[in-house]
């Protein structure tokens, strides 16, 4: 356990919530100075907390301490855009993009857009929190869940939506990758539905591998890829 006094732990959680709420509200990651102002701490304290949050996998920072990912939010393009009523987000991966309407109270439906990695055909869906979108496209996840955090940016970049199975096969052979998991859009939507629940609120706890595996099973995803 890191040695952190209660005030430090409270400030760290305030930093986490401020990062998430800024991304939710604006689509943009806050910088250290604006975080310091919003949590009433020094920039150095905020920087230290960002590193602790990254170590605990609540977010991903780059070498200059910029926030890159705070799942399901992304500060960098990963193949998806998500348009709300007044806000535009980089969607992160397929899983993250489909999660946004479930997490954002004021955005019951969003427009998710991408291109097929194999043939570059454009695809877009209105994704709501009520039911999965129509569409015969498929998502392909390359990296098994046990290895997600080995290189989480690479993992997210390879959770994409393709026209169909034949485009998945084309991409796998041209990129020299082995097949991961293929999900239809309804399954992708169910995966995204409750995965990030609570992340905008204080006191959020990440799932451990056991509860994550149980969640995957509940939404119909089973086997070694999903760790269950
Ligand atoms: Zn295609
Ligand atoms: Zn992702």
């Amino acid at each position: 356990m890191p040695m952190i006094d209660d005030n430090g732990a409270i400030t760290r959680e305030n930093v986490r919530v401020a990062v998430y709420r800024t991304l939710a509200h604006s689509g943009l990651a806050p910088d250290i100075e604006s975080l310091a102002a919003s949590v009433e701490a020094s920039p150095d304290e905020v920087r230290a907390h960002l590193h602790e949050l990254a170590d605990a996998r609540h977010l991903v920072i780059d070498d200059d301490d910029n926030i890159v990912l705070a799942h399901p939010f992304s500060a960098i393009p990963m193949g998806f855009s998500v348009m709300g009523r007044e806000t535009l987000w980089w969607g992160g991966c397929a899983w993250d993009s489909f999660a946004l309407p479930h997490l954002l109270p004021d955005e019951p439906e969003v427009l998710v857009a991408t291109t097929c990695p194999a043939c570059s055909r454009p695809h877009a869906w209105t994704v709501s929190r009520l039911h999965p979108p129509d569409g015969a496209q498929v998502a392909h996840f390359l990296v098994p869940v046990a290895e997600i955090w080995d290189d989480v940016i690479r993992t997210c970049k390879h959770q994409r939506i393709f026209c169909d199975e034949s485009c998945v096969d084309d991409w796998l052979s041209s990129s020299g990758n082995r097949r991961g998991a293929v999900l239809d859009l309804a399954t992708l939507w169910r995966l995204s539905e409750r995965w990030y629940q609570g992340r905008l609120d204080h006191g959020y706890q990440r799932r451990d591998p056991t509860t994550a595996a149980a969640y995957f099973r509940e939404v119909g995803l089973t086997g070694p890829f999903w760790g269950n």
Side-chain angles (χ1 to χ4, degrees):
M1 285 288 287
M3 295 292 289
I4 291 177
D5 62 24
D6 286 350
N7 284 337
I10 291 166
T11 307
R12 182 180 57 197
E13 178 64 355
N14 289 343
V15 170
R16 190 194 67 77
V17 171
V19 169
Y20 270 85
R21 290 186 180 174
T22 304
L23 276 158
H25 179 73
S26 70
L28 301 171
D31 60 21
I32 286 182
E33 285 69 29
S34 65
L35 283 171
S38 76
V39 305
E40 298 179 352
S42 72
D44 282 347
E45 283 175 84
V46 168
R47 197 183 308 275
H49 288 310
L50 287 178
H51 280 263
E52 291 160 1
L53 289 165
D55 290 344
R57 299 179 175 175
H58 285 291
L59 45 80
V60 177
I61 52 178
D62 67 15
D63 293 340
D64 298 318
D65 299 335
N66 298 306
I67 294 155
V68 179
L69 284 174
H71 287 100
F73 301 107
S74 175
I76 58 172
M78 292 190 163
F80 290 86
S81 64
V82 178
M83 186 174 76
R85 286 179 310 165
E86 295 182 355
T87 310
L88 185 61
W89 293 270
W90 287 126
C93 64
W95 183 351
D96 300 330
S97 297
F98 271 48
L100 288 190
H102 302 292
L103 190 64
L104 299 166
D106 300 329
E107 299 283 359
E109 61 178 39
V110 297
L111 181 70
V112 174
T114 192
T115 55
C116 171
C119 73
S120 302
R121 179 185 298 206
H123 296 285
W125 309 265
T126 299
V127 181
S128 88
R129 63 178 70 139
L130 297 179
H131 48 74
D134 291 331
Q137 299 92 344
V138 296
H140 175 259
F141 286 16
L142 183 66
V143 181
V145 296
E147 297 164 26
I148 281 177
W149 283 89
D150 292 355
D151 181 346
V152 72
I153 292 176
R154 175 178 180 271
T155 298
C156 267
K157 281 185 172 169
H158 290 94
Q159 295 177 341
R160 296 290 301 265
I161 299 179
F162 294 74
C163 302
D164 49 30
E165 290 262 9
S166 76
C167 274
V168 174
D169 290 340
D170 288 351
W171 181 80
L172 289 172
S173 61
S174 69
S175 64
N177 282 298
R178 288 221 309 265
R179 185 183 172 94
V182 173
L183 295 70
D184 60 24
L185 293 188
T187 305
L188 175 65
W189 184 89
R190 284 198 306 274
L191 170 66
S192 302
E193 188 179 8
R194 287 175 292 111
W195 179 256
Y196 293 116
Q197 208 168 50
R199 227 163 239 223
L200 296 177
D201 303 323
H202 288 270
Y204 175 78
Q205 303 283 335
R206 294 184 81 256
R207 286 183 179 79
D208 61 29
T210 306
T211 52
Y215 178 89
F216 298 141
R217 196 176 310 113
E218 262 176 57
V219 301
L221 296 167
T222 56
F225 187 94
W226 300 99
N228 59 23

